[in-house]
Amino acid sequence: MHIDILTLFPQVFQGILSAGIFKRAIDQKLVSVSLHNIRDYTQDKHHTVDDYAYGGGAGMVLKPEPIFEAVESIKSGISLNQGGGMLPIILLTPQGRLFSQGVAYELSRCSHLILICGHYEGVDERVREHLVTDEISIGDYVLSGGEPAAMVVIDAVVRLVPGVLGSEASLLDDSHVAGLLEYPQYTRPVEYRGWSVPEVLLSGNHAQIAKWRREQAIQRTLNRRPELLDKANLGLEEKQLVDRLKHS
Ligand code: ADE
């Protein structure tokens, strides 16, 4: 997968790209990331990226030209054999569709993504109307720029790219993957400050362990995010369990 990120602050990405799963994925050539400074695509001598809003009002608006030119320059560099797949051009904005594990899966199937980090008070509407193919918000709050949102999106997406995580099986247990929060996890020591690991996990009985984990995931989801249970894929017995837990 190749990811192009358009930003006014390319340096803020260096940290996350040089550690953890990003470093591994990049070293193993499973993922490549190119950072593009929007300012480099300006044509005027002051390298102006923003301007006052027509109609007045506080704050500056990102100009359309450098953003269009950056995206067009990236697209012109894509060779024909790479260009077959879908190429989402995503604006990070609090007005976008809400990011979720489902959206992360959807994007992880693309071989190329272009992310545009907005800034200041907004982005010229023509970018939304005539350039981007998708707008994503990471939650109902306003960040000072799209960069932290882009980091959230690429982190959640890259870990789903086949081969990036050591064990693909662990993905299936992640919170939100099956519509439930993840079950509690324990490691050594078996007793810490008098707090013991649940007996069933030491039993070696894999069927019992799987059942316990599923029930814990359901219980935890019911306690913390009950609205998720409406959409979770539960069997009949599990639905009965939810009813019992609700009334206990
Ligand atoms: N830019 C500013 N706030 C944002 C948000 N909540 N999600 C995505 N991009 C943003």
Side-chain angles (χ1 to χ4, degrees):
M1 169 182 284
H2 183 69
I3 304 172
D4 287 289
I5 302 174
L6 276 64
T7 168
L8 289 171
F9 303 108
Q11 68 277 18
V12 306
F13 288 88
Q14 294 306 345
I16 71 154
L17 294 178
S18 58
I21 66 153
F22 276 107
K23 180 170 176 354
R24 248 203 353 257
I26 292 168
D27 287 349
Q28 292 176 5
K29 304 207 180 331
L30 296 167
V31 173
S32 51
V33 180
S34 302
L35 296 165
H36 306 269
N37 192 331
I38 295 171
R39 205 172 288 281
D40 293 343
Y41 294 86
T42 52
Q43 306 281 356
D44 64 313
K45 79 169 196 264
H46 298 294
H47 301 290
T48 315
V49 290
D50 59 336
D51 209 334
Y52 296 100
Y54 275 119
M60 306 291 273
V61 176
L62 283 183
K63 291 165 68 59
E65 308 95 305
I67 299 177
F68 271 86
E69 284 174 33
V71 170
E72 281 158 8
S73 142
I74 292 164
K75 283 170 113 178
S76 72
I78 301 173
S79 67
L80 278 179
N81 58 352
Q82 286 174 292
M86 183 179 67
L87 172 51
I89 303 170
I90 303 165
L91 178 67
L92 283 313
T93 161
Q95 301 178 26
R97 65 181 172 133
L98 205 52
F99 191 57
S100 65
Q101 192 65 24
V103 177
Y105 266 106
E106 185 191 306
L107 299 180
S108 74
R109 289 193 276 272
C110 300
S111 58
H112 192 171
L113 303 173
I114 299 180
L115 302 186
I116 304 171
C117 304
H119 244 270
Y120 304 126
E121 298 307 309
V123 176
D124 188 283
E125 188 65 18
R126 288 162 290 191
V127 170
R128 296 178 191 280
E129 285 185 345
H130 306 294
L131 184 66
V132 307
T133 62
D134 197 359
E135 298 181 36
I136 290 181
S137 165
I138 60 159
D140 293 338
Y141 39 80
V142 179
L143 304 167
S144 58
E147 286 77 9
M151 291 183 202
V152 167
V153 169
I154 63 172
D155 187 295
V157 169
V158 161
R159 64 191 291 284
L160 300 177
V161 170
V164 168
L165 285 190
S167 119
E168 243 80 308
S170 74
L171 286 175
L172 298 175
D173 287 338
D174 278 348
S175 289
H176 300 294
V177 168
L180 296 174
L181 301 184
E182 197 180 3
Y183 50 78
Q185 301 264 36
Y186 295 86
T187 186
R188 282 188 286 192
V190 72
E191 187 176 315
Y192 178 65
R193 299 191 176 186
W195 301 306
S196 298
V197 173
E199 204 64 45
V200 59
L201 298 178
L202 312 174
S203 68
N205 183 332
H206 296 295
Q208 282 295 323
I209 292 172
K211 181 164 178 280
W212 181 85
R213 285 181 166 165
R214 185 81 181 163
E215 286 173 5
Q216 289 289 318
I218 291 171
Q219 169 101 60
R220 180 160 283 199
T221 309
L222 181 63
N223 292 344
R224 300 182 181 194
R225 299 286 306 280
E227 79 284 5
L228 294 179
L229 283 174
D230 299 336
K231 286 200 213 142
N233 213 342
L234 301 183
L236 181 62
E237 275 186 30
E238 291 173 332
K239 286 187 179 141
Q240 289 167 344
L241 172 67
V242 171
D243 283 338
R244 279 203 307 282
L245 291 171
K246 272 186 184 163
H247 298 109
S248 65

